[in-house]
Amino acid sequence: MKLTSEELYKLMCAEIVGSEKVVEYRRLFLKIHDEVFNTPPFSEIHTQICSGSKAEGLFMNGSDLDVVRTMSKFMAYKLATSVVNIDKRKAVLFMDYEMSSPGYARLWIHDKNHPQWRDPWIKIANNGLLFSSSQFREWMKGEQRSVILERYNSCMCTMGAHDLTGPCISSNRLDQAFSIVCQSWPESAMPWFSRKRPYHCYTDHMITRQMERGILLVPVGNKTDSVDVHHDEWRISFTMTEKDLIHSWNHVQMVCYACLKMMLKEFIRLKSKDDIMTSYLVKTTLLWISEEMNPIVWSPENLYKCFLQCIKRLSYYIKFRFFPNYFIPNCNMIKCTATEQSLTNLSNLLVDISINGLQYLLQCPSLSGSLKLKLDTGIPIGLTSFDFALLPLLSSYLPEPQYMNREITEKCIREIMYSTSTREKNLYLLFLVRSIYERARSTLYTSFVVNNKLSYLEQRRRQFEAIWTTNADAVTGWICLALVFYINRQYRKALTVLEFLPLKCTRNKIMIWWRTHLNMADFRNHMQTNVVFRGNFFRKLRHCKMTSFIQIKSPEKEVTKYLDNRISWLFTVPSQQYITCPPETLIHFLRVLCFVGTNENSGRSKAVLDLKDAVENNQTVKDPYFRYISYKYLRAAYELANDIPRAMRCHEMVGKLKEFTAKHPSEV
């Protein structure tokens, strides 16, 4: 059993979890992510807290990024709090637990005349005015939906189309929940601080620090059959404390956590049609077990034993129909809507797993393929744990650059100057490069609306910003620099850059696709077929990372009147704010435009042939959207070359692709 546990531990580390350092750097990345965005003006509306398994360091297939947004202009207090001790600048609420289910509270409004209040949120009760969670959710789903989506999506990386689901703004890989902060813990949770822990798994300092963190209140009532009783309640959430406690676990506990989540998502949910078992119940079980077991037991040779202990505890809770909340033990987390037959079936399934757990674990798709392929599980040559943790995340979890404002830029610079951690400096520098990239691509046209002296200074600034952006990846910054030269009629300089760029667009790069992140196994396989990486983190970004698309920002309406046809040729879909296309397509199309500007017919003809080859043979344009855009650029190039027959053929291809093309690229 010990040998089996050790092999399982190695396999999970290699394919699912990563090393202890990789987990640490993922957590650090999302911590910096929060700090960057908790900056005005965003922090004046809300504070962002990344939560869930990703913030805890696990990046597993199919899991979402969970974000809790605390509404900054609201504050909740205990019911008996003196008016002298409340912050009247905020919309004040008082928590009432007496008429609520365990783990829930009702919120009484202190002053209805505060400007933050909206009439649809308020419910008139016998003793005053309630902030109704159900009415707040209905308001979100109603006429304010578009406003909320625009406001709250502005501070997070865009991950596909968003919708409102209950209290959350949800997409296929991002869940954002609203909440209200309360600095005081409920009385029902206070025994947690003095609870006897035989092995002292948490330090006294860590436990007392949680009192300062407070709690969050989420607009979800207790889900029971009696909807009329609980629809005004708010759920008490200990998200911040849970994240702190899990960050204190050792690596074996994290691997056990990953085993349980994998078993849940890839085995239990396939066998059980009900959604009784959730990731939160798995997390709660491990929190209880971690408190009760000797920390020495959590070692690689005991991994499977610990896994079985958690499965047996889950089985026990389901069997007796009571699943105690970790912080409020008298709160039963089993849904009251679950049928007796469903609970019995789940209990029997958990008993079966406790007997045949290893067999079922290895049948999970995330592991079964790895066993068959017998992959080399080492980190690719030249990549550190820091690189291995961050490089697969750069397309999905960096913010959309259009939301990187001046305050964020200044904060990044301050942190780079004063931080003592090299890793933190690198992460803040990553966000700074992202911010400068946005400025570089959004101010390309400013030299057209200023006088000659200012125009020269603007050109120098744009060149500086583009050169800074070369730290983002192998090609983006250079394309920005070529665009600066082209827009300012410096065609020879633009061509010098563009002739060099095809050497950078090679297939032995870390390819970052549209809004996706590679899992560990896929990332390792990709790296093993490529070059050996040398240098620090940003040298690897400059030479080894390449995005599958480049975004060009369309000029603002007030600038359009100053522009000539040379600029309009860049935008094949004028109605869109950003034009997204593969880098190879844009490079060769820019070459065509530069040769048109210099009146060199032979160079233009060669550039058109290179563009044709890039559009027809490049693997990057296999996505229908990218093929659609690429053929539109090729059609424009033929029109500029007065090759009408070929332009017509491209036009036909554009028409065919348009039938299968959405407004945005699909996930490649």
Side-chain angles (χ1 to χ4, degrees), residues 554-555 560 568-579 632 635:
S554 302
T560 306
S568 63
W569 289 335
L570 288 169
F571 302 99
T572 59
V573 190
S575 60
Q576 292 188 5
Q577 185 179 3
Y578 288 89
I579 306 303
K632 293 198 77 171
R635 181 184 65 185

Side-chain angles (χ1 to χ4, degrees), residues 46-65:
H46 66 267
T47 300
Q48 171 180 299
I49 304 170
C50 286
S51 61
S53 59
K54 281 186 165 58
E56 293 153 3
L58 292 182
F59 280 68
M60 302 181 68
N61 291 341
S63 62
D64 299 332
L65 175 62

Side-chain angles (χ1 to χ4, degrees), residues 297-364:
V297 176
W298 295 99
S299 62
E301 62 185 23
N302 292 322
L303 172 61
Y304 186 59
K305 174 184 175 182
C306 295
F307 170 79
L308 289 182
Q309 185 70 23
C310 293
I311 292 294
K312 291 174 182 177
R313 180 62 63 85
L314 281 168
S315 177
Y316 177 85
Y317 289 149
I318 298 299
K319 178 181 178 181
F320 289 98
R321 312 301 193 250
F322 191 87
F323 206 119
N325 183 286
Y326 178 66
F327 300 96
I328 306 175
N330 66 331
C331 174
N332 185 6
M333 297 194 298
I334 295 177
K335 295 179 182 178
C336 295
T337 52
T339 65
E340 188 66 24
Q341 185 61 49
S342 298
L343 291 168
T344 301
N345 292 341
L346 179 57
S347 179
N348 293 337
L349 180 59
L350 290 169
V351 171
D352 186 22
I353 294 173
S354 68
I355 299 171
N356 303 299
L358 184 61
Q359 175 187 343
Y360 295 150
L361 265 177
L362 298 180
Q363 287 177 5
C364 291

Side-chain angles (χ1 to χ4, degrees), residues 235-301:
R235 186 177 66 207
I236 300 170
S237 172
F238 300 91
T239 294
M240 296 179 288
T241 296
E242 289 167 1
K243 187 162 72 170
D244 257 14
L245 299 181
I246 291 173
H247 284 189
S248 72
W249 287 354
N250 68 25
H251 199 55
V252 177
Q253 288 169 293
M254 291 302 301
V255 173
C256 184
Y257 184 25
C259 288
L260 291 166
K261 287 178 69 70
M262 184 175 66
M263 178 63 74
L264 169 65
K265 293 185 176 182
E266 301 183 15
F267 186 80
I268 294 176
R269 286 182 178 169
L270 294 179
K271 298 292 183 180
S272 174
K273 296 180 181 180
D274 301 293
D275 61 348
I276 301 170
M277 186 64 65
T278 64
S279 295
Y280 190 73
L281 296 185
V282 167
K283 180 195 295 186
T284 300
T285 301
L286 200 49
L287 284 167
W288 279 113
I289 295 291
S290 297
E291 189 173 272
E292 297 165 8
M293 287 178 61
N294 191 328
I296 298 174
V297 176
W298 295 99
S299 62
E301 62 185 23

Side-chain angles (χ1 to χ4, degrees), residues 160-161 514-515 573 575-576 578 580 623-629 632 654-667:
W514 178 268
R515 295 176 182 171
V573 190
S575 60
Q576 292 188 5
Y578 288 89
T580 304
D623 182 89
Y625 179 87
F626 290 148
R627 286 177 59 80
Y628 168 73
I629 291 295
K632 293 198 77 171
V654 167
K656 292 177 182 178
L657 289 170
K658 189 174 183 180
E659 299 177 8
F660 306 100
T661 304
K663 294 181 179 179
H664 302 285
S666 62
E667 291 195 3

Side-chain angles (χ1 to χ4, degrees), residues 8 20 31 112 116 147 212 330 358 374 380 433 572 644:
L8 177 62
E20 191 169 356
K31 173 179 173 287
K112 180 184 179 296
Q116 290 301 315
V147 176
E212 302 171 2
N330 66 331
L358 184 61
K374 297 181 180 179
V433 169
T572 59
I644 304 303

